[in-house]
Amino acid sequence: MATHRSSRSGIGVSFRLLGSAVSLAVFLCLAVSILFTSHSHSTTDSHGISNVGSGRRSVLAMKSDPLKSRLDQIRKQADDHRSLAHAYASYARKLKLENSKLVRIFADLSRNYTDLINKPSYRALSESDSLSIDEATLRLFEKEVKERIKVTRQVIAEAKESFDNQLKIQKLKDTIFAVNEQLTKAKKQGAFSSLIAAKSIPKSLHCLAMRLMEERIAHPEKYNDEGKPPLPELEDPKLYHYAIFSDNVVAASVVVNSAVKNAKEPWKHVFHVVTDKMNLGAMQVMFKLKDYNGAHIEVKAVEDYKFLNSSYVPVLKQLESANLQKFYFENKLENATKDTTNMKFRNPKYLSILNHLRFYLPEMYPKLHRILFLDDDIVVQKDLTGLWKIDMDGKVNGAVETCFGSFHRYAQYMNFSHPLIKEKFNPKACAWAYGMNFFDLDAWRREKCTEEYHYWQNLNENRTLWKLGTLPPGLITFYSTTKPLDKSWHVLGLGYNPSISMDEIQSAAVVHFNGNMKPWLDIAMTQFKPLWTKHVDYELEFVQACNFGL
């Protein structure tokens, strides 16, 4: 027990001795440090006391001297107004004021600020310390900066109204441009929609064709003329012959109805109606359902004329071309609306053989001497036998001319940049209209007009001479063989021109609904539509069943 106490007391003594030694070491270190610091200060005082004192005062001066602050403030104002002048110059260029004095003035102001700040005497102010700043130079610098600031603010104040006006003008121009873009797009879409509306088959018309075809299938013995000898009147050159090529049952019937109604001797009139194979049955039934006051009606299909094949007819041969098929049948909406002027020519009907039959009349009717060609969108209002009394003067085609002023000249229908067209035709030659054309078939054969048509149609396979359609090749084929008729024979435009006077219409022998607003469509012009509808056979049960015209 006593031994244990003696060992604990020995350990305590040892810790006390160690603590005393550590305290002594710390004290010695502090003493040495104080001595070293005192020596260092005394050395510095003896060798560089003036420099240290000067450095301390310089630092204090930089913090308290107003000259340096004034210099910084002046430089900042100069920089700010230089940037402002530069910004106005850039804005003036953006507003398309490159030719304006304002652009040059603001550019000069911005440059003057830069030149002023970079003057050697003023640059030295920034590079020197506070004690060496020359107050006189500083005042001069401040004066020049303030003068430039004053000028800058005056110019800005004067230019503000001009900038505001220019901004309004620019915004107005941007708005007009955007509206024009929308208008152009709307016009293209409208033209395309109008084309769809014009070329689509109305439901009632489709219904009528189907019901007539159903009747043809149900009672073939009533409507089939196969095996029967042709009527002699169909080839009698002493009678008045008409050619109507159509796939529209109602339209073809209106042409015949109106012509027969106004004929003084209807039994002397012969109507040659040609359609396609699909509509042949419906046409046969339609023209068998009623008596036409003794008028003679022949209904045939294109396919009945065996000479019309691709080895003879250029149009049929061209339809076999892959490029032409792609042009028509692989066309998309965005491509169709690119060119609203020629959009309508992408309609495949313009290369339809039914549309080009008019160039083969002498071969289709070899025993006839004269024939009157009628489109299916016309209405006859007077007896037309007077046309057969006209002296054709050896010409082939009797037609009403459509030119007035610079409109409807050859230049509008053909590509006169092509050397062949330029060499052969006069761009100012007056165009005429298809729709009602009186043809001297003997003169046609003598002038070899079909061969002429073939020559030019073959050359135009790539559509370089004219766009599609039958009028341009007609103008070419009958260039020097057309006799102008009095305008009262044929009044055009009822499908697009609402300003035609009723006096002109009433005095016309034939009115023509050429244009998109056909009389059998909902988009027809209401003031002209009754001229056509009064010749529709509404009493027929098939027409009534299809709600036609409602």
Side-chain angles (χ1 to χ4, degrees), residues 170-188:
Q170 187 61 37
K171 284 183 177 179
L172 185 59
K173 286 181 178 179
D174 293 341
T175 302
I176 292 172
F177 179 79
V179 170
N180 280 334
E181 287 288 301
Q182 293 176 354
L183 180 61
T184 302
K185 185 177 180 181
K187 281 183 177 179
K188 289 181 179 181

Side-chain angles (χ1 to χ4, degrees), residues 495-514:
Y496 71 89
N497 184 6
S499 61
I500 302 173
S501 70
M502 292 308 297
D503 290 339
E504 187 179 3
I505 289 173
Q506 289 170 2
S507 64
V510 169
V511 290
H512 193 174
F513 289 82
N514 58 312

Side-chain angles (χ1 to χ4, degrees), residues 167-217:
L167 182 60
K168 291 176 184 176
I169 292 170
Q170 187 61 37
K171 284 183 177 179
L172 185 59
K173 286 181 178 179
D174 293 341
T175 302
I176 292 172
F177 179 79
V179 170
N180 280 334
E181 287 288 301
Q182 293 176 354
L183 180 61
T184 302
K185 185 177 180 181
K187 281 183 177 179
K188 289 181 179 181
Q189 292 292 341
F192 188 75
S193 299
S194 176
L195 190 64
I196 294 290
K199 305 308 177 186
S200 299
I201 300 174
K203 184 178 179 180
S204 56
L205 184 57
H206 178 72
C207 165
L208 178 59
M210 293 299 100
R211 286 185 177 272
L212 292 171
M213 193 63 194
E214 184 182 26
E215 171 68 11
R216 173 68 173 80
I217 294 170

Side-chain angles (χ1 to χ4, degrees), residues 5 13 17 23 58 69 78 102 163 284 327 350 383 388 401 410 417 434 437 442 455 517 543:
R5 287 193 193 99
V13 172
L17 290 174
S23 300
S58 179
S69 299
L102 288 175
F163 275 178
Q284 287 174 335
F327 178 79
Y350 286 98
D383 183 83
W388 276 262
E401 293 183 328
Y410 269 48
S417 63
Y434 266 128
N437 302 81
D442 292 332
Y455 171 76
M517 300 178 185
V543 176

Side-chain angles (χ1 to χ4, degrees), residues 277-293:
K277 200 72 173 178
M278 186 173 69
N279 291 283
L280 178 61
M283 287 282 191
Q284 287 174 335
V285 174
M286 190 68 179
F287 289 106
K288 291 274 189 178
L289 290 176
K290 58 177 283 189
D291 176 63
Y292 289 90
N293 296 330

Side-chain angles (χ1 to χ4, degrees), residues 492-539:
L492 298 103
L494 277 70
Y496 71 89
N497 184 6
S499 61
I500 302 173
S501 70
M502 292 308 297
D503 290 339
E504 187 179 3
I505 289 173
Q506 289 170 2
S507 64
V510 169
V511 290
H512 193 174
F513 289 82
N514 58 312
N516 284 340
M517 300 178 185
K518 301 298 185 188
W520 54 84
L521 299 175
D522 292 336
I523 60 174
M525 284 185 275
T526 53
Q527 68 268 39
F528 301 143
K529 192 169 183 176
L531 298 170
W532 184 85
T533 55
K534 67 182 180 180
H535 297 290
V536 176
D537 295 313
Y538 289 112
E539 71 279 2

Side-chain angles (χ1 to χ4, degrees), residues 18-196:
L18 179 60
S20 301
V22 171
S23 300
L24 180 60
V26 171
F27 174 78
L28 290 173
C29 287
L30 289 172
V32 171
S33 175
I34 292 170
L35 289 172
F36 178 79
T37 303
S38 301
H39 176 73
S40 175
H41 279 297
S42 64
T43 305
T44 303
D45 290 343
S46 62
H47 295 286
I49 188 169
S50 62
N51 291 337
V52 172
S54 175
R56 286 177 179 172
R57 287 194 298 273
S58 179
V59 171
L60 292 173
M62 287 177 67
K63 291 181 179 179
S64 60
D65 193 353
L67 292 181
K68 189 67 176 178
S69 299
R70 273 177 68 191
L71 175 62
D72 292 341
Q73 188 176 6
I74 294 168
R75 280 185 60 87
K76 186 176 185 308
Q77 288 180 341
D79 283 333
D80 289 346
H81 284 79
R82 180 187 61 80
S83 300
L84 186 62
H86 181 72
Y88 267 89
S90 300
Y91 191 58
R93 292 189 185 94
K94 185 178 179 181
L95 292 178
K96 299 179 181 178
L97 293 172
E98 288 87 357
N99 297 326
S100 171
K101 292 181 180 180
L102 288 175
V103 178
R104 293 191 295 273
I105 290 173
F106 282 119
D108 290 343
L109 283 174
S110 177
R111 198 179 308 110
N112 287 343
Y113 279 112
T114 303
D115 294 343
L116 179 64
I117 292 172
N118 290 331
K119 271 188 179 181
S121 58
Y122 299 150
R123 181 187 287 274
L125 291 174
S126 301
E127 295 175 350
S128 63
D129 57 29
S130 178
L131 293 178
S132 59
I133 292 176
D134 184 6
E135 189 171 355
T137 305
L138 181 61
R139 285 177 181 170
L140 184 60
F141 178 52
E142 183 178 18
K143 180 181 178 183
E144 290 196 47
V145 168
K146 286 183 176 181
E147 287 175 354
R148 281 168 173 76
I149 289 174
K150 183 179 179 181
V151 172
T152 302
R153 289 179 177 176
Q154 287 177 345
V155 172
I156 290 174
E158 294 171 0
K160 190 175 186 303
E161 182 178 357
S162 176
F163 275 178
D164 288 345
N165 291 336
Q166 286 297 325
L167 182 60
K168 291 176 184 176
I169 292 170
Q170 187 61 37
K171 284 183 177 179
L172 185 59
K173 286 181 178 179
D174 293 341
T175 302
I176 292 172
F177 179 79
V179 170
N180 280 334
E181 287 288 301
Q182 293 176 354
L183 180 61
T184 302
K185 185 177 180 181
K187 281 183 177 179
K188 289 181 179 181
Q189 292 292 341
F192 188 75
S193 299
S194 176
L195 190 64
I196 294 290

